[in-house]
Amino acid sequence: DGCGKAGSMQIQNVSGEIALLSRSNATDFSNKPCNYAKKILAAELAGAVGVVIMSDQGVPLIDVNCKGIDCDLPAFIPATMVTYSTGQSIISRLQQGLNTSLSFVDTPTAGFHFGIDCQ
């Protein structure tokens, strides 16, 4: 779920990749609540070039923001949240060995936040 320090069992093999993390509220390696800022920063420290957070089943999407002191150590990689069904689709494609690419948009475009190429 991304709530561990780099090199821990929770963050592996993400160097140069986009990490897919769960939204689930968990605790980090020091038993403190793990929020989105901590998840993204942990993935960045483990070498990820971006983060996709998969929402929990039946839970609506929300903005992925930092709060309070967690904003003092900002991540410098893009991050977004997708629905549970979209996350499961990504997992399924990866498990099948299908090419899956994701790109982040850095210019405002109405109704378009990121794209997943399923070709």
Side-chain angles (χ1 to χ4, degrees), residues 87-98 100:
Q88 289 298 312
S89 176
I90 294 169
I91 290 170
S92 176
R93 292 185 59 79
L94 293 172
Q95 288 174 337
Q96 294 174 50
L98 299 174
T100 304

Side-chain angles (χ1 to χ4, degrees), residues 6-116:
S8 75
M9 292 299 291
Q10 296 164 330
I11 303 176
Q12 294 182 1
N13 303 322
V14 296
S15 184
E17 303 290 339
I18 295 174
L20 177 62
L21 306 175
S22 68
R23 175 180 177 169
S24 300
N25 292 329
T27 56
D28 64 15
F29 59 93
S30 61
N31 272 341
K32 294 181 181 175
C34 184
N35 58 36
Y36 304 122
K38 287 180 182 178
K39 288 174 184 271
I40 295 165
L41 185 58
E44 180 178 34
L45 292 173
V49 297
V51 173
V52 173
I53 299 173
M54 178 178 70
S55 189
D56 295 330
Q57 190 168 13
V59 179
L61 301 179
I62 61 171
D63 289 335
V64 178
N65 293 319
C66 63
K67 293 181 183 176
I69 195 169
D70 292 322
C71 299
D72 292 344
L73 292 173
F76 294 98
I77 59 175
T80 192
M81 183 179 286
V82 297
T83 63
Y84 178 82
S85 61
T86 298
Q88 289 298 312
S89 176
I90 294 169
I91 290 170
S92 176
R93 292 185 59 79
L94 293 172
Q95 288 174 337
Q96 294 174 50
L98 299 174
N99 287 335
T100 304
S101 63
L102 183 139
S103 59
F104 290 88
V105 176
D106 63 359
T107 55
T109 305
F112 184 79
H113 305 287
F114 70 97
I116 298 173

